[in-house]
Amino acid sequence: MRSFDGKRYWLVGASAGLGEALAHRLARDGAEVVISARGGEALQKVVADIGGKASYVTIDVSDADDVARAAEEVGDIDGYVHLAGVYWPMAAQEWNAEQVNAMVDINFTGMTRVLGHVVPAMVAKDDGHIVITSSLTGFRGLPGSIGYTASKAAAMSLAECMECDLRKTGVDVQVANPGFIKTQLTDKNDFSMPFIMEPEEAAEIMYQHMRFGGFKRSFPTLFSLLFRGSQFLPDSLYFRIFGK
C-alpha cells in the first residue's frame, strides 16, 4: 500500500474536473500537490481551496519550450499524474482537422512532452510514480469519436510500453481508464452516457488505484466489462454492433 504523506505530486490537467478532485484527495492524505494547466486564474482558485499543501505552475503541453520551463519550475517530484485533455464529439464524415489535431496533440503528444522530462529524472534516481489517464474508449474504436478515442488508445498503449520497460525498477507505472465523468467535456455530448460519475467519485476510485497498486484500473466496473469484452469480438460482429 502506497503512502502519500510527505510526497510531492505533479498533476497536469488539474484546474477543474477529475484533476481538481484528485488534487484535493491527495492533499487530504498528506501529499504536497503541484497542479498545472494553461489558465493561471483557475489554478489559483484550486490552490486557495486546497490550502497550504498546494501550489501551481502554468503549462501549455502543446508547446515544448513551455513544457521545459514548467518542468524546471516544478523541480523534483515523487509522482506525476497526467490528466490534461480536450474533446469534441466528431464523426469521420464531419472531420475538423484543427480539432482532431488538437485532440491528438494535447491528449497524447502533449503527455509525451511532459514525460520526456519526468521519466528520465525518475529513472536516474530509480524512484517515482507515474499515472496516465486514458479512457474506456481506448479499448476499441467507436463511432463519433475521431481524434479523442485514438489519442486515448495511444495513451493506454504508451502506459503498457512503459510498464514493460520499468516494471522491475523503482519507477511505478499505472494507467486509469474511466468512463463518463460529468465535466465541461462531457457537457458537449448530446447522447445518453451510462454510469456517468461525478468528478469526486471518479477521483476516489483513481486515488484507491494509486494507493493500492496494480497496473490498470478500468471503471465503473460493470460498464468497463462492455469495452473490455469488445476486444474479443470478431471485427465483423463488432462493427455490426457498434458501427453506425
Side-chain angles (χ1 to χ4, degrees):
M1 184 173 67
R2 177 177 283 108
S3 172
F4 299 102
D5 190 32
K7 300 296 184 180
R8 193 164 189 261
Y9 272 72
W10 185 18
L11 291 79
V12 171
S15 61
L18 174 59
E20 177 185 0
L22 184 59
H24 276 274
R25 186 65 183 88
L26 288 168
R28 287 202 305 272
D29 205 24
E32 176 190 348
V33 294
V34 183
I35 61 171
S36 291
R38 283 179 294 181
E41 187 173 332
L43 293 170
Q44 287 177 16
K45 183 179 182 304
V46 176
V47 166
D49 290 342
I50 293 174
K53 289 184 176 292
S55 60
Y56 79 91
V57 174
T58 60
I59 191 172
D60 181 353
V61 299
S62 68
D63 184 328
D65 290 337
D66 197 59
V67 168
R69 186 271 312 160
E72 183 175 0
E73 189 173 336
V74 170
D76 188 50
I77 54 173
D78 300 294
Y80 174 75
V81 187
H82 192 88
L83 304 118
V86 295
Y87 164 70
W88 291 272
M90 189 185 309
Q93 299 93 321
E94 302 152 354
W95 194 294
N96 180 309
E98 182 179 355
Q99 292 177 345
V100 170
N101 293 345
M103 285 186 275
V104 173
D105 186 49
I106 293 172
N107 298 357
F108 178 68
T109 308
M111 176 175 62
T112 67
R113 289 189 185 99
V114 186
L115 290 176
H117 297 271
V118 170
V119 174
M122 290 186 177
V123 168
K125 64 181 181 180
D126 196 31
D127 184 60
H129 182 201
I130 296 169
V131 183
I132 289 173
T133 309
S134 180
S135 167
L136 291 182
T137 66
F139 281 104
R140 199 151 186 186
L142 293 168
S145 62
I146 292 296
Y148 184 80
T149 287
S151 69
K152 291 301 184 179
M156 191 185 300
S157 178
L158 177 65
E160 291 173 347
C161 293
M162 291 171 61
E163 174 66 5
C164 285
D165 290 334
L166 299 172
R167 60 188 301 268
K168 293 185 178 180
T169 73
V171 182
D172 191 14
V173 178
Q174 293 183 296
V175 60
N177 306 312
F180 295 115
I181 302 172
K182 187 169 179 53
T183 66
Q184 58 185 0
L185 299 185
T186 53
D187 285 345
K188 299 178 181 181
N189 291 333
D190 60 1
F191 53 82
S192 174
M193 292 175 279
F195 300 97
I196 189 167
M197 297 172 286
E198 293 293 331
E200 293 75 17
E201 178 186 4
E204 181 62 29
I205 295 171
M206 197 161 166
Y207 165 80
Q208 295 298 334
H209 175 48
M210 293 169 62
R211 185 182 180 202
F212 289 102
F215 171 65
K216 184 182 293 181
R217 178 67 190 273
S218 303
F219 59 94
T221 302
L222 287 177
F223 194 35
S224 75
L225 293 175
L226 173 66
F227 293 87
R228 290 151 60 195
S230 71
Q231 293 181 301
F232 300 98
L233 293 177
D235 289 343
S236 59
L237 180 57
Y238 176 80
F239 292 120
R240 194 179 311 150
I241 295 172
F242 289 91
K244 289 186 176 180

